[in-house]
Amino acid sequence: MLLTIPEVRDALLSKRASATEITTAALQHAEAENPKTNAYLHFAPERALAAARKVDEQIARGEELGPLAGVPIAVKDVILTKGLTTTCASRLLVNYIPPYDATAITRLEQAGGVIIGKTNCDEFAMGSSNENSAFGPVRNPIDPTRVPGGTSGGSAAAVAQGTAVVALGSDTGGSIRQPASFCGVVGVCPTYGRVSRYGLTAHASSLDHIGPLSRTVRDSATLLAAISGRDACDSTSAAAPVPDYTALLDGNVKGLKLGLPREYLKDLTSETGGLISHAVEVLKSLGCEVREISLPATDYAIATYYIISTAEASSNLARFDGVRYTSRSAQSDTLADLYRNTRGEGFGAECKRRIMLGTYVLSHGYYDAYYVKAQKVRSLITQDFARAFQEVDAIVAPVSPFPAFKIGEKVDDPIAMYLSDIYTITGSLAGIPCMSVPCGTTTDGLPVGMQILTRHFDETTMFRLADAFERTRK
Ligand code: GLN
């Protein structure tokens, strides 16, 4: 089912297929393909068919259809869905059924979207390879011996495999962009606050975003527009108006000023670097002006991110205590034992590592040396971008230093895993919109993504550039 959103719409409006038929076919296809990748943790046939029936009724009544009408959508299993198990890929939440929907889910369904299932990910969205799931790793559909990237690996694999038209993921430090790059699809991390985080299980609250994955730039733009905007349930959601992104995709990017950060281009493996350089030449041929820029605080980004994100994660994960939400450890005589046993048995190694690290950097005596210092460096990173955007309209960079690696290759070396996030976490720390758009494949046939970053709330320029580039590849 390699359809796009406009193709689904066309099929519905021309009556070639009903939403129910499309949904039934999507569910069957996704279930049949899932053993190859382990992309989905569970399917939602009843909910999907009910949503599809609504769309068919609208068509029968001749009503105007929402922008996502009848579109089969996969949702990362850290986003709450009322009445539908939401595990965060953790043993702790195997049986957790949320009592409410995330705002992004409500909006997506109001727009006519059909949720077909929940996708696998790293436990509580912590990782870079999707190997930290309590329910087994996701395999990359392009090469099943390799990781799909993390943490939204299931969503990226589902879209790449063609079992969903589009998907929702979450991005804290690269978790949409990096899997999109590894699986050869489009992935968007919007401006911080663009999409409500209400109902997104918190990893690091000041860095978390919900965003789309798709096979075309236009589809991501459509999905993002549908879920964006102020939400009274999330005080950090922004009231900024949401433009009609797709109306502005005209392929014309002549005169756009692009910056290439020197610090991002120095240690790339030659193949990834070569593909990015080639993409930059293509953008020049479209009339963009390209210049080198500098983001000098980049060297400190990994340390800064892993201090701030673990500090916030240690606090956010405290709620999983065996009293609320979670399954409870069976043999515990005291309250302290209940906490210790539930959390000891429930969390995987990576979550425990981050709880330890985060608790340490927040502890009395180390708070100023680590956490406060990291917050200051975060400001420097944000200022780097602000300075660059006085000169250029968009920044072009790699997403990852290398393409999809082998399953197991980095699991025993958490530092190596953390280092792979170098090009994605800077944009996250600054809260600016950033996305990955496919820009070619290595000689081994592995996809590589180009990252585009723009000013706060200027997703429009980001989409226009990505779309113009995508047109050159068709
Ligand atoms: N790889 C990063 C981490 O493990 C990013 C995760 C994310 O964006 N959710 O923290």
Side-chain angles (χ1 to χ4, degrees), residues 360-394:
Y360 178 80
V361 300
L362 288 176
S363 60
H364 182 71
Y366 293 104
Y367 181 85
D368 287 331
Y370 291 103
Y371 185 70
V372 173
K373 187 73 154 275
Q375 291 291 11
K376 290 180 180 163
V377 181
R378 182 177 190 174
S379 298
L380 294 180
I381 291 169
T382 309
Q383 285 163 18
D384 272 2
F385 281 109
R387 218 174 301 116
F389 286 128
Q390 283 172 4
E391 258 189 80
V392 297
D393 302 308

PDB file of all heavy atoms in Angstrom, residues 360-394:
ATOM      1  N   TYR A 360      22.088  11.919  39.426  1.00  0.00           N
ATOM      2  CA  TYR A 360      23.419  12.404  39.807  1.00  0.00           C
ATOM      3  C   TYR A 360      23.593  13.886  39.439  1.00  0.00           C
ATOM      4  O   TYR A 360      23.988  14.695  40.285  1.00  0.00           O
ATOM      5  CB  TYR A 360      24.476  11.545  39.110  1.00  0.00           C
ATOM      6  CG  TYR A 360      25.895  11.965  39.376  1.00  0.00           C
ATOM      7  CD1 TYR A 360      26.535  11.603  40.574  1.00  0.00           C
ATOM      8  CD2 TYR A 360      26.604  12.712  38.450  1.00  0.00           C
ATOM      9  CE1 TYR A 360      27.837  11.989  40.816  1.00  0.00           C
ATOM     10  CE2 TYR A 360      27.909  13.106  38.686  1.00  0.00           C
ATOM     11  CZ  TYR A 360      28.517  12.744  39.872  1.00  0.00           C
ATOM     12  OH  TYR A 360      29.806  13.132  40.115  1.00  0.00           O
ATOM     13  N   VAL A 361      23.259  14.254  38.192  1.00  0.00           N
ATOM     14  CA  VAL A 361      23.496  15.651  37.789  1.00  0.00           C
ATOM     15  C   VAL A 361      22.559  16.630  38.494  1.00  0.00           C
ATOM     16  O   VAL A 361      22.828  17.823  38.532  1.00  0.00           O
ATOM     17  CB  VAL A 361      23.416  15.879  36.246  1.00  0.00           C
ATOM     18  CG1 VAL A 361      24.441  15.034  35.525  1.00  0.00           C
ATOM     19  CG2 VAL A 361      22.018  15.625  35.693  1.00  0.00           C
ATOM     20  N   LEU A 362      21.476  16.119  39.078  1.00  0.00           N
ATOM     21  CA  LEU A 362      20.559  16.999  39.813  1.00  0.00           C
ATOM     22  C   LEU A 362      20.853  17.007  41.312  1.00  0.00           C
ATOM     23  O   LEU A 362      20.223  17.757  42.064  1.00  0.00           O
ATOM     24  CB  LEU A 362      19.111  16.543  39.598  1.00  0.00           C
ATOM     25  CG  LEU A 362      18.503  16.791  38.214  1.00  0.00           C
ATOM     26  CD1 LEU A 362      17.107  16.180  38.145  1.00  0.00           C
ATOM     27  CD2 LEU A 362      18.441  18.278  37.903  1.00  0.00           C
ATOM     28  N   SER A 363      21.787  16.167  41.745  1.00  0.00           N
ATOM     29  CA  SER A 363      21.967  16.003  43.186  1.00  0.00           C
ATOM     30  C   SER A 363      22.688  17.209  43.783  1.00  0.00           C
ATOM     31  O   SER A 363      23.435  17.913  43.106  1.00  0.00           O
ATOM     32  CB  SER A 363      22.738  14.717  43.487  1.00  0.00           C
ATOM     33  OG  SER A 363      24.004  14.774  42.879  1.00  0.00           O
ATOM     34  N   HIS A 364      22.436  17.426  45.070  1.00  0.00           N
ATOM     35  CA  HIS A 364      23.043  18.535  45.786  1.00  0.00           C
ATOM     36  C   HIS A 364      24.560  18.437  45.641  1.00  0.00           C
ATOM     37  O   HIS A 364      25.121  17.393  45.818  1.00  0.00           O
ATOM     38  CB  HIS A 364      22.634  18.455  47.266  1.00  0.00           C
ATOM     39  CG  HIS A 364      23.160  19.582  48.073  1.00  0.00           C
ATOM     40  ND1 HIS A 364      22.689  20.864  47.943  1.00  0.00           N
ATOM     41  CD2 HIS A 364      24.138  19.634  48.993  1.00  0.00           C
ATOM     42  CE1 HIS A 364      23.350  21.656  48.768  1.00  0.00           C
ATOM     43  NE2 HIS A 364      24.237  20.935  49.413  1.00  0.00           N
ATOM     44  N   GLY A 365      25.191  19.507  45.278  1.00  0.00           N
ATOM     45  CA  GLY A 365      26.648  19.467  45.145  1.00  0.00           C
ATOM     46  C   GLY A 365      27.084  19.318  43.690  1.00  0.00           C
ATOM     47  O   GLY A 365      28.156  19.753  43.307  1.00  0.00           O
ATOM     48  N   TYR A 366      26.233  18.674  42.867  1.00  0.00           N
ATOM     49  CA  TYR A 366      26.595  18.526  41.444  1.00  0.00           C
ATOM     50  C   TYR A 366      25.674  19.321  40.530  1.00  0.00           C
ATOM     51  O   TYR A 366      25.937  19.482  39.354  1.00  0.00           O
ATOM     52  CB  TYR A 366      26.581  17.048  41.042  1.00  0.00           C
ATOM     53  CG  TYR A 366      27.663  16.270  41.736  1.00  0.00           C
ATOM     54  CD1 TYR A 366      27.368  15.437  42.804  1.00  0.00           C
ATOM     55  CD2 TYR A 366      28.990  16.399  41.341  1.00  0.00           C
ATOM     56  CE1 TYR A 366      28.364  14.759  43.463  1.00  0.00           C
ATOM     57  CE2 TYR A 366      29.992  15.729  41.999  1.00  0.00           C
ATOM     58  CZ  TYR A 366      29.676  14.904  43.057  1.00  0.00           C
ATOM     59  OH  TYR A 366      30.668  14.248  43.709  1.00  0.00           O
ATOM     60  N   TYR A 367      24.578  19.793  41.115  1.00  0.00           N
ATOM     61  CA  TYR A 367      23.561  20.512  40.344  1.00  0.00           C
ATOM     62  C   TYR A 367      24.167  21.700  39.578  1.00  0.00           C
ATOM     63  O   TYR A 367      23.991  21.842  38.366  1.00  0.00           O
ATOM     64  CB  TYR A 367      22.478  20.976  41.323  1.00  0.00           C
ATOM     65  CG  TYR A 367      21.329  21.713  40.713  1.00  0.00           C
ATOM     66  CD1 TYR A 367      20.245  21.021  40.184  1.00  0.00           C
ATOM     67  CD2 TYR A 367      21.313  23.104  40.678  1.00  0.00           C
ATOM     68  CE1 TYR A 367      19.179  21.699  39.629  1.00  0.00           C
ATOM     69  CE2 TYR A 367      20.249  23.790  40.128  1.00  0.00           C
ATOM     70  CZ  TYR A 367      19.181  23.079  39.601  1.00  0.00           C
ATOM     71  OH  TYR A 367      18.129  23.759  39.056  1.00  0.00           O
ATOM     72  N   ASP A 368      24.940  22.538  40.312  1.00  0.00           N
ATOM     73  CA  ASP A 368      25.531  23.719  39.655  1.00  0.00           C
ATOM     74  C   ASP A 368      26.582  23.321  38.634  1.00  0.00           C
ATOM     75  O   ASP A 368      26.658  23.883  37.548  1.00  0.00           O
ATOM     76  CB  ASP A 368      26.161  24.652  40.695  1.00  0.00           C
ATOM     77  CG  ASP A 368      25.093  25.382  41.488  1.00  0.00           C
ATOM     78  OD1 ASP A 368      24.007  25.606  40.934  1.00  0.00           O
ATOM     79  OD2 ASP A 368      25.345  25.698  42.666  1.00  0.00           O
ATOM     80  N   ALA A 369      27.386  22.329  39.007  1.00  0.00           N
ATOM     81  CA  ALA A 369      28.505  21.945  38.137  1.00  0.00           C
ATOM     82  C   ALA A 369      28.009  21.317  36.834  1.00  0.00           C
ATOM     83  O   ALA A 369      28.630  21.493  35.790  1.00  0.00           O
ATOM     84  CB  ALA A 369      29.410  20.963  38.872  1.00  0.00           C
ATOM     85  N   TYR A 370      26.914  20.586  36.886  1.00  0.00           N
ATOM     86  CA  TYR A 370      26.444  19.900  35.677  1.00  0.00           C
ATOM     87  C   TYR A 370      25.175  20.516  35.103  1.00  0.00           C
ATOM     88  O   TYR A 370      25.175  21.029  33.994  1.00  0.00           O
ATOM     89  CB  TYR A 370      26.214  18.413  35.960  1.00  0.00           C
ATOM     90  CG  TYR A 370      27.497  17.668  36.195  1.00  0.00           C
ATOM     91  CD1 TYR A 370      27.885  17.316  37.479  1.00  0.00           C
ATOM     92  CD2 TYR A 370      28.328  17.336  35.131  1.00  0.00           C
ATOM     93  CE1 TYR A 370      29.076  16.643  37.700  1.00  0.00           C
ATOM     94  CE2 TYR A 370      29.525  16.663  35.340  1.00  0.00           C
ATOM     95  CZ  TYR A 370      29.886  16.321  36.628  1.00  0.00           C
ATOM     96  OH  TYR A 370      31.068  15.662  36.834  1.00  0.00           O
ATOM     97  N   TYR A 371      24.103  20.471  35.873  1.00  0.00           N
ATOM     98  CA  TYR A 371      22.808  20.862  35.306  1.00  0.00           C
ATOM     99  C   TYR A 371      22.770  22.350  34.940  1.00  0.00           C
ATOM    100  O   TYR A 371      22.410  22.716  33.819  1.00  0.00           O
ATOM    101  CB  TYR A 371      21.682  20.496  36.288  1.00  0.00           C
ATOM    102  CG  TYR A 371      20.318  20.768  35.716  1.00  0.00           C
ATOM    103  CD1 TYR A 371      19.822  19.983  34.677  1.00  0.00           C
ATOM    104  CD2 TYR A 371      19.547  21.823  36.174  1.00  0.00           C
ATOM    105  CE1 TYR A 371      18.584  20.243  34.111  1.00  0.00           C
ATOM    106  CE2 TYR A 371      18.305  22.088  35.625  1.00  0.00           C
ATOM    107  CZ  TYR A 371      17.832  21.291  34.593  1.00  0.00           C
ATOM    108  OH  TYR A 371      16.608  21.549  34.039  1.00  0.00           O
ATOM    109  N   VAL A 372      23.181  23.203  35.875  1.00  0.00           N
ATOM    110  CA  VAL A 372      23.126  24.647  35.610  1.00  0.00           C
ATOM    111  C   VAL A 372      24.092  25.010  34.473  1.00  0.00           C
ATOM    112  O   VAL A 372      23.750  25.781  33.571  1.00  0.00           O
ATOM    113  CB  VAL A 372      23.447  25.458  36.896  1.00  0.00           C
ATOM    114  CG1 VAL A 372      23.566  26.941  36.585  1.00  0.00           C
ATOM    115  CG2 VAL A 372      22.350  25.225  37.932  1.00  0.00           C
ATOM    116  N   LYS A 373      25.263  24.402  34.490  1.00  0.00           N
ATOM    117  CA  LYS A 373      26.247  24.649  33.427  1.00  0.00           C
ATOM    118  C   LYS A 373      25.669  24.237  32.072  1.00  0.00           C
ATOM    119  O   LYS A 373      25.787  24.952  31.082  1.00  0.00           O
ATOM    120  CB  LYS A 373      27.504  23.838  33.771  1.00  0.00           C
ATOM    121  CG  LYS A 373      28.725  24.045  32.935  1.00  0.00           C
ATOM    122  CD  LYS A 373      29.384  25.378  33.219  1.00  0.00           C
ATOM    123  CE  LYS A 373      30.861  25.376  32.918  1.00  0.00           C
ATOM    124  NZ  LYS A 373      31.691  24.871  34.006  1.00  0.00           N
ATOM    125  N   ALA A 374      25.037  23.086  32.053  1.00  0.00           N
ATOM    126  CA  ALA A 374      24.468  22.593  30.790  1.00  0.00           C
ATOM    127  C   ALA A 374      23.385  23.543  30.276  1.00  0.00           C
ATOM    128  O   ALA A 374      23.276  23.789  29.072  1.00  0.00           O
ATOM    129  CB  ALA A 374      23.899  21.193  30.978  1.00  0.00           C
ATOM    130  N   GLN A 375      22.599  24.103  31.189  1.00  0.00           N
ATOM    131  CA  GLN A 375      21.562  25.061  30.760  1.00  0.00           C
ATOM    132  C   GLN A 375      22.203  26.290  30.118  1.00  0.00           C
ATOM    133  O   GLN A 375      21.679  26.854  29.156  1.00  0.00           O
ATOM    134  CB  GLN A 375      20.694  25.507  31.952  1.00  0.00           C
ATOM    135  CG  GLN A 375      19.803  24.422  32.524  1.00  0.00           C
ATOM    136  CD  GLN A 375      18.681  24.009  31.584  1.00  0.00           C
ATOM    137  OE1 GLN A 375      18.649  24.375  30.413  1.00  0.00           O
ATOM    138  NE2 GLN A 375      17.755  23.208  32.078  1.00  0.00           N
ATOM    139  N   LYS A 376      23.352  26.690  30.664  1.00  0.00           N
ATOM    140  CA  LYS A 376      24.047  27.860  30.090  1.00  0.00           C
ATOM    141  C   LYS A 376      24.565  27.527  28.692  1.00  0.00           C
ATOM    142  O   LYS A 376      24.454  28.334  27.765  1.00  0.00           O
ATOM    143  CB  LYS A 376      25.203  28.282  31.001  1.00  0.00           C
ATOM    144  CG  LYS A 376      24.723  28.897  32.296  1.00  0.00           C
ATOM    145  CD  LYS A 376      25.884  29.304  33.179  1.00  0.00           C
ATOM    146  CE  LYS A 376      25.354  29.925  34.466  1.00  0.00           C
ATOM    147  NZ  LYS A 376      26.369  29.987  35.516  1.00  0.00           N
ATOM    148  N   VAL A 377      25.121  26.334  28.546  1.00  0.00           N
ATOM    149  CA  VAL A 377      25.638  25.960  27.225  1.00  0.00           C
ATOM    150  C   VAL A 377      24.475  25.822  26.236  1.00  0.00           C
ATOM    151  O   VAL A 377      24.603  26.161  25.058  1.00  0.00           O
ATOM    152  CB  VAL A 377      26.472  24.655  27.297  1.00  0.00           C
ATOM    153  CG1 VAL A 377      27.021  24.311  25.926  1.00  0.00           C
ATOM    154  CG2 VAL A 377      27.605  24.803  28.296  1.00  0.00           C
ATOM    155  N   ARG A 378      23.332  25.378  26.737  1.00  0.00           N
ATOM    156  CA  ARG A 378      22.156  25.288  25.863  1.00  0.00           C
ATOM    157  C   ARG A 378      21.843  26.675  25.272  1.00  0.00           C
ATOM    158  O   ARG A 378      21.525  26.791  24.090  1.00  0.00           O
ATOM    159  CB  ARG A 378      20.957  24.760  26.657  1.00  0.00           C
ATOM    160  CG  ARG A 378      19.726  24.593  25.800  1.00  0.00           C
ATOM    161  CD  ARG A 378      18.571  24.001  26.579  1.00  0.00           C
ATOM    162  NE  ARG A 378      17.490  23.646  25.674  1.00  0.00           N
ATOM    163  CZ  ARG A 378      16.398  23.002  26.028  1.00  0.00           C
ATOM    164  NH1 ARG A 378      16.233  22.608  27.269  1.00  0.00           N
ATOM    165  NH2 ARG A 378      15.464  22.705  25.154  1.00  0.00           N
ATOM    166  N   SER A 379      21.972  27.710  26.106  1.00  0.00           N
ATOM    167  CA  SER A 379      21.737  29.072  25.592  1.00  0.00           C
ATOM    168  C   SER A 379      22.745  29.422  24.511  1.00  0.00           C
ATOM    169  O   SER A 379      22.403  30.066  23.524  1.00  0.00           O
ATOM    170  CB  SER A 379      21.849  30.108  26.718  1.00  0.00           C
ATOM    171  OG  SER A 379      20.872  29.848  27.678  1.00  0.00           O
ATOM    172  N   LEU A 380      23.999  29.002  24.696  1.00  0.00           N
ATOM    173  CA  LEU A 380      25.016  29.303  23.678  1.00  0.00           C
ATOM    174  C   LEU A 380      24.663  28.625  22.354  1.00  0.00           C
ATOM    175  O   LEU A 380      24.824  29.211  21.277  1.00  0.00           O
ATOM    176  CB  LEU A 380      26.403  28.817  24.131  1.00  0.00           C
ATOM    177  CG  LEU A 380      27.017  29.523  25.347  1.00  0.00           C
ATOM    178  CD1 LEU A 380      28.380  28.926  25.678  1.00  0.00           C
ATOM    179  CD2 LEU A 380      27.151  31.020  25.076  1.00  0.00           C
ATOM    180  N   ILE A 381      24.182  27.392  22.448  1.00  0.00           N
ATOM    181  CA  ILE A 381      23.817  26.652  21.232  1.00  0.00           C
ATOM    182  C   ILE A 381      22.648  27.370  20.524  1.00  0.00           C
ATOM    183  O   ILE A 381      22.648  27.559  19.311  1.00  0.00           O
ATOM    184  CB  ILE A 381      23.472  25.186  21.584  1.00  0.00           C
ATOM    185  CG1 ILE A 381      24.749  24.466  22.028  1.00  0.00           C
ATOM    186  CG2 ILE A 381      22.811  24.463  20.404  1.00  0.00           C
ATOM    187  CD1 ILE A 381      24.543  23.107  22.657  1.00  0.00           C
ATOM    188  N   THR A 382      21.680  27.807  21.314  1.00  0.00           N
ATOM    189  CA  THR A 382      20.536  28.533  20.746  1.00  0.00           C
ATOM    190  C   THR A 382      21.008  29.831  20.094  1.00  0.00           C
ATOM    191  O   THR A 382      20.545  30.198  18.998  1.00  0.00           O
ATOM    192  CB  THR A 382      19.508  28.842  21.864  1.00  0.00           C
ATOM    193  OG1 THR A 382      19.238  27.620  22.549  1.00  0.00           O
ATOM    194  CG2 THR A 382      18.212  29.401  21.318  1.00  0.00           C
ATOM    195  N   GLN A 383      21.951  30.517  20.759  1.00  0.00           N
ATOM    196  CA  GLN A 383      22.486  31.773  20.187  1.00  0.00           C
ATOM    197  C   GLN A 383      23.247  31.536  18.891  1.00  0.00           C
ATOM    198  O   GLN A 383      23.193  32.349  17.971  1.00  0.00           O
ATOM    199  CB  GLN A 383      23.402  32.474  21.199  1.00  0.00           C
ATOM    200  CG  GLN A 383      22.637  33.154  22.327  1.00  0.00           C
ATOM    201  CD  GLN A 383      23.525  33.476  23.525  1.00  0.00           C
ATOM    202  OE1 GLN A 383      24.752  33.504  23.419  1.00  0.00           O
ATOM    203  NE2 GLN A 383      22.901  33.698  24.664  1.00  0.00           N
ATOM    204  N   ASP A 384      23.964  30.398  18.822  1.00  0.00           N
ATOM    205  CA  ASP A 384      24.662  30.047  17.565  1.00  0.00           C
ATOM    206  C   ASP A 384      23.673  30.053  16.399  1.00  0.00           C
ATOM    207  O   ASP A 384      23.942  30.600  15.333  1.00  0.00           O
ATOM    208  CB  ASP A 384      25.218  28.610  17.643  1.00  0.00           C
ATOM    209  CG  ASP A 384      26.610  28.543  18.244  1.00  0.00           C
ATOM    210  OD1 ASP A 384      27.141  29.601  18.632  1.00  0.00           O
ATOM    211  OD2 ASP A 384      27.156  27.424  18.311  1.00  0.00           O
ATOM    212  N   PHE A 385      22.523  29.414  16.627  1.00  0.00           N
ATOM    213  CA  PHE A 385      21.524  29.331  15.551  1.00  0.00           C
ATOM    214  C   PHE A 385      20.940  30.711  15.258  1.00  0.00           C
ATOM    215  O   PHE A 385      20.758  31.086  14.103  1.00  0.00           O
ATOM    216  CB  PHE A 385      20.409  28.343  15.912  1.00  0.00           C
ATOM    217  CG  PHE A 385      20.806  26.904  15.714  1.00  0.00           C
ATOM    218  CD1 PHE A 385      21.032  26.065  16.790  1.00  0.00           C
ATOM    219  CD2 PHE A 385      20.964  26.388  14.424  1.00  0.00           C
ATOM    220  CE1 PHE A 385      21.410  24.741  16.606  1.00  0.00           C
ATOM    221  CE2 PHE A 385      21.333  25.062  14.235  1.00  0.00           C
ATOM    222  CZ  PHE A 385      21.553  24.242  15.323  1.00  0.00           C
ATOM    223  N   ALA A 386      20.660  31.480  16.309  1.00  0.00           N
ATOM    224  CA  ALA A 386      20.061  32.809  16.103  1.00  0.00           C
ATOM    225  C   ALA A 386      21.000  33.655  15.247  1.00  0.00           C
ATOM    226  O   ALA A 386      20.560  34.357  14.329  1.00  0.00           O
ATOM    227  CB  ALA A 386      19.790  33.469  17.449  1.00  0.00           C
ATOM    228  N   ARG A 387      22.291  33.563  15.531  1.00  0.00           N
ATOM    229  CA  ARG A 387      23.282  34.321  14.765  1.00  0.00           C
ATOM    230  C   ARG A 387      23.292  33.845  13.311  1.00  0.00           C
ATOM    231  O   ARG A 387      23.275  34.638  12.378  1.00  0.00           O
ATOM    232  CB  ARG A 387      24.664  34.140  15.391  1.00  0.00           C
ATOM    233  CG  ARG A 387      25.510  35.391  15.361  1.00  0.00           C
ATOM    234  CD  ARG A 387      26.826  35.206  16.126  1.00  0.00           C
ATOM    235  NE  ARG A 387      26.656  34.857  17.519  1.00  0.00           N
ATOM    236  CZ  ARG A 387      27.050  33.698  18.087  1.00  0.00           C
ATOM    237  NH1 ARG A 387      27.645  32.778  17.381  1.00  0.00           N
ATOM    238  NH2 ARG A 387      26.861  33.479  19.370  1.00  0.00           N
ATOM    239  N   ALA A 388      23.302  32.546  13.133  1.00  0.00           N
ATOM    240  CA  ALA A 388      23.341  31.995  11.770  1.00  0.00           C
ATOM    241  C   ALA A 388      22.112  32.440  10.975  1.00  0.00           C
ATOM    242  O   ALA A 388      22.215  32.787   9.797  1.00  0.00           O
ATOM    243  CB  ALA A 388      23.414  30.475  11.827  1.00  0.00           C
ATOM    244  N   PHE A 389      20.950  32.474  11.638  1.00  0.00           N
ATOM    245  CA  PHE A 389      19.724  32.817  10.908  1.00  0.00           C
ATOM    246  C   PHE A 389      19.601  34.321  10.613  1.00  0.00           C
ATOM    247  O   PHE A 389      18.666  34.738   9.948  1.00  0.00           O
ATOM    248  CB  PHE A 389      18.486  32.285  11.643  1.00  0.00           C
ATOM    249  CG  PHE A 389      18.332  30.793  11.514  1.00  0.00           C
ATOM    250  CD1 PHE A 389      18.162  29.989  12.630  1.00  0.00           C
ATOM    251  CD2 PHE A 389      18.374  30.189  10.255  1.00  0.00           C
ATOM    252  CE1 PHE A 389      18.038  28.605  12.512  1.00  0.00           C
ATOM    253  CE2 PHE A 389      18.249  28.810  10.127  1.00  0.00           C
ATOM    254  CZ  PHE A 389      18.088  28.016  11.265  1.00  0.00           C
ATOM    255  N   GLN A 390      20.551  35.114  11.124  1.00  0.00           N
ATOM    256  CA  GLN A 390      20.593  36.510  10.654  1.00  0.00           C
ATOM    257  C   GLN A 390      21.166  36.573   9.244  1.00  0.00           C
ATOM    258  O   GLN A 390      20.936  37.494   8.495  1.00  0.00           O
ATOM    259  CB  GLN A 390      21.461  37.353  11.593  1.00  0.00           C
ATOM    260  CG  GLN A 390      20.726  37.691  12.874  1.00  0.00           C
ATOM    261  CD  GLN A 390      21.613  38.356  13.906  1.00  0.00           C
ATOM    262  OE1 GLN A 390      22.778  38.642  13.648  1.00  0.00           O
ATOM    263  NE2 GLN A 390      21.064  38.598  15.073  1.00  0.00           N
ATOM    264  N   GLU A 391      21.952  35.540   8.913  1.00  0.00           N
ATOM    265  CA  GLU A 391      22.645  35.501   7.625  1.00  0.00           C
ATOM    266  C   GLU A 391      21.951  34.610   6.598  1.00  0.00           C
ATOM    267  O   GLU A 391      22.031  34.860   5.402  1.00  0.00           O
ATOM    268  CB  GLU A 391      24.021  34.851   7.852  1.00  0.00           C
ATOM    269  CG  GLU A 391      25.193  35.753   7.927  1.00  0.00           C
ATOM    270  CD  GLU A 391      26.433  34.892   7.927  1.00  0.00           C
ATOM    271  OE1 GLU A 391      26.858  34.447   6.851  1.00  0.00           O
ATOM    272  OE2 GLU A 391      26.951  34.620   9.030  1.00  0.00           O
ATOM    273  N   VAL A 392      21.342  33.522   7.062  1.00  0.00           N
ATOM    274  CA  VAL A 392      20.777  32.543   6.121  1.00  0.00           C
ATOM    275  C   VAL A 392      19.325  32.215   6.470  1.00  0.00           C
ATOM    276  O   VAL A 392      18.883  32.439   7.596  1.00  0.00           O
ATOM    277  CB  VAL A 392      21.611  31.221   6.113  1.00  0.00           C
ATOM    278  CG1 VAL A 392      23.030  31.485   5.637  1.00  0.00           C
ATOM    279  CG2 VAL A 392      21.607  30.546   7.477  1.00  0.00           C
ATOM    280  N   ASP A 393      18.601  31.671   5.488  1.00  0.00           N
ATOM    281  CA  ASP A 393      17.192  31.311   5.703  1.00  0.00           C
ATOM    282  C   ASP A 393      17.028  29.882   6.204  1.00  0.00           C
ATOM    283  O   ASP A 393      16.034  29.538   6.829  1.00  0.00           O
ATOM    284  CB  ASP A 393      16.419  31.432   4.383  1.00  0.00           C
ATOM    285  CG  ASP A 393      16.517  32.820   3.804  1.00  0.00           C
ATOM    286  OD1 ASP A 393      16.227  33.777   4.546  1.00  0.00           O
ATOM    287  OD2 ASP A 393      16.910  32.960   2.626  1.00  0.00           O
ATOM    288  N   ALA A 394      18.002  29.042   5.858  1.00  0.00           N
ATOM    289  CA  ALA A 394      17.922  27.635   6.278  1.00  0.00           C
ATOM    290  C   ALA A 394      19.336  27.075   6.403  1.00  0.00           C
ATOM    291  O   ALA A 394      20.264  27.582   5.767  1.00  0.00           O
ATOM    292  CB  ALA A 394      17.137  26.821   5.258  1.00  0.00           C
TER     293      ALA A 394
END
